[in-house]
Amino acid sequence: QVDLVESGGGSVQTGGFLTLSCAASGVTYSQYCMAWFRQVPGKDREGVAAITMDGVTTYAASVKGRFTMSQTNDLQMNNLKPEDTAMYYCARRSGGSCAGVIGIATNLRQYYWGQGTQVTVSS
């Protein structure tokens, strides 16, 4: 069993920044991909950042250049925009590749999930 706990969400104005953290426990030494997803009510959950155990990162086009995911699973979010407003979830998927993580999540059951942390960006 893998437990993930997010923290660091909050409310900021446009152009502001936040750092989200993800504390993981119960993690085995097998290969895995760590990722951050976000979801707004009524829309699908989407992957916005992912990192392999080797430190290879991938980002959604909408956040590339503004968000940075570290190997400690933190998500540094700069130059935030109102469209970044969402519930943000930390997730872990077994396997060494993060292929297919970015974009709309099609199979939520392949991931372990945290409870989420809310990010609100006002204009």
Side-chain angles (χ1 to χ4, degrees), residues 22-73:
C22 175
S25 61
V27 177
T28 68
Y29 291 100
S30 59
Q31 293 287 318
Y32 57 85
C33 170
M34 293 295 298
W36 283 94
F37 288 75
R38 66 186 183 188
Q39 188 171 23
V40 297
K43 293 192 175 181
D44 293 318
R45 193 168 296 189
E46 65 166 341
V48 296
I51 191 167
T52 67
M53 288 186 71
D54 296 328
V56 178
T57 52
T58 54
Y59 299 96
S62 58
V63 307
K64 196 169 187 178
R66 301 187 297 120
F67 290 13
T68 303
M69 186 172 182
S70 72
Q71 286 188 281
T72 57
N73 306 327

Side-chain angles (χ1 to χ4, degrees), residues 1 19 24 31 38 57 66-67 88 95 104 106 121:
Q1 178 65 33
T19 301
Q31 293 287 318
R38 66 186 183 188
T57 52
R66 301 187 297 120
F67 290 13
Y88 283 72
I104 300 300
T106 56
V121 185

